Amino acid sequence: MARIISGTQIAAELGMQVAQDAARFHAERGRAPALAVVLVGDNPASEIYVRRKIAQCRKSGITSLEHRLPASLSQADLLALITRLNGDPAVDGILVQLPLPAHIAPVPVLGAIAPGKDVDGFHPVNVGRLSTGGEGLVPCTPLGCMMLIDTVVDDLRGKHAVVIGKSNIVGKPVAMLLLERECTVTVTHIATQGLPDIARRADIIVAAAGAPLLVRGDWVKPGAVVIDVGINRIEQPGGKARIVGDCAMDEMPHAGAVTPVPGGVGPMTIACLLANTIKAAIRHTRSAAA
Ligand code: GUN
């Protein structure tokens, strides 16, 4: 059987480290690290994610400053809030939950967040730093994927990684991180021709296409590591929904290691968000003191 990489366990270990770091920050600076969480509208999935993020902040000794705003909020008002949070010395990190309502364009909003407080790593300056090997804030899900891979692969150098999905949130940044570690990286997506053949050449597959059970057992070479970023809701007869990933894991006992859904990449995303908040807080208070 393939080894199961428990994101739940690895995220719990990272969470303990974050709690220690938050406690040290609090002792040294006289206040807890603080993350502003901005939720516009009432998207049910976003509501669940934001609630989880806030609960984890609380558990780790990070202050969450909640800004729940109506779907009718104007883009100008959202930009004004971000400007205020950028200038607030008591705010270390800013997270604007996506998706935003249709009348608000995400690009100017994400671009308005101060790069040093951009704990999602979505600001063009952080994207640029990631692609040039600089010291920016790195998007949370890709960071979590790398930590999971590092628990089962000793040396990434020269390994062939196939990324399925080209999103700004996962596909592109995880490709950059793998490249930085000297993997040979192939970025594919839903329109790629001959995708199963390309996947079969991979030592590592990162599936982030948002396509339920896209990656079948015969796409995976024996011993390959399969990281499943997908979280897809499948409606079942009888009304009960089931959550599945992008990979048919029960078809890949011959894989070297796989991440489960749920309990794989998901928990790592929030743990990395908190780790990014600590990193931003330390840098931000250091530069304020300088
Ligand atoms: N929506 C889905 N994933 C994410 C994420 O990682 N960050 C934010 N801010 N919104 C999201």
Side-chain angles (χ1 to χ4, degrees):
M1 267 317 271
R3 184 167 161 190
I4 306 290
I5 309 171
S6 172
T8 306
Q9 188 192 327
I10 297 158
E13 287 164 15
L14 178 58
M16 283 191 296
Q17 181 65 52
V18 165
Q20 279 178 20
D21 291 346
R24 184 168 341 118
F25 181 96
H26 199 155
E28 288 174 4
R29 315 290 209 285
R31 68 163 177 86
L35 173 65
V37 180
V38 180
L39 175 61
V40 186
D42 43 21
N43 178 306
S46 293
E47 186 67 49
I48 293 170
Y49 290 139
V50 160
R51 216 179 304 138
R52 283 192 195 146
K53 289 172 185 177
I54 290 169
Q56 286 300 321
C57 279
R58 205 159 291 154
K59 257 176 83 174
S60 309
I62 294 174
T63 302
S64 60
L65 307 162
E66 293 172 48
H67 295 268
R68 287 170 183 272
L69 302 157
S72 58
L73 185 82
S74 70
Q75 182 164 316
D77 283 348
L78 180 56
L79 290 173
L81 170 64
I82 291 171
T83 303
R84 187 157 63 73
L85 296 171
N86 284 342
D88 185 342
V91 172
D92 300 302
I94 302 170
L95 176 142
V96 177
Q97 185 66 27
L98 301 176
L100 289 164
H103 67 280
I104 301 182
V107 171
V109 170
L110 299 177
I113 298 172
K117 295 191 180 188
D118 170 37
V119 286
D120 262 326
F122 295 160
H123 189 286
V125 164
N126 283 318
V127 176
R129 285 180 182 149
L130 177 60
S131 61
T132 54
E135 279 284 300
L137 287 160
V138 175
C140 308
T141 302
L143 205 53
C145 290
M146 296 305 292
M147 287 184 190
L148 296 180
I149 293 169
D150 278 330
T151 65
V152 289
V153 183
D154 280 340
D155 187 4
L156 285 174
R157 188 151 194 262
K159 295 277 193 299
H160 184 197
V162 171
V163 177
I164 306 175
K166 60 170 180 58
S167 70
N168 291 334
I169 294 183
V170 186
K172 289 178 199 165
V174 85
M176 283 299 164
L177 290 170
L178 289 160
L179 197 54
E180 195 56 34
R181 298 283 297 277
E182 299 187 325
C183 283
T184 302
V185 183
T186 305
V187 184
T188 68
H189 44 80
I190 220 74
T192 297
Q193 293 181 9
L195 183 49
D197 282 333
I198 298 170
R200 267 192 285 276
R201 293 203 291 271
D203 301 304
I204 299 160
I205 295 175
V206 179
L213 308 179
L214 172 74
V215 180
R216 315 305 310 196
D218 65 354
W219 294 29
V220 175
K221 84 171 173 190
V225 173
V226 183
I227 305 295
D228 191 348
V229 184
I231 302 178
N232 308 288
R233 231 179 117 86
I234 307 266
E235 298 306 329
Q236 305 260 83
K240 226 173 124 26
R242 191 163 69 102
I243 302 294
V244 301
D246 286 0
C247 304
M249 289 303 177
D250 51 358
E251 295 178 8
M252 31 190 99
H254 56 289
V258 299
T259 61
V261 175
V265 174
M268 293 303 292
T269 297
I270 298 186
C272 289
L273 170 70
L274 303 188
N276 272 353
T277 301
I278 301 279
K279 190 170 168 182
I282 291 170
R283 286 193 190 161
H284 155 227
T285 47
R286 197 183 286 146
S287 59

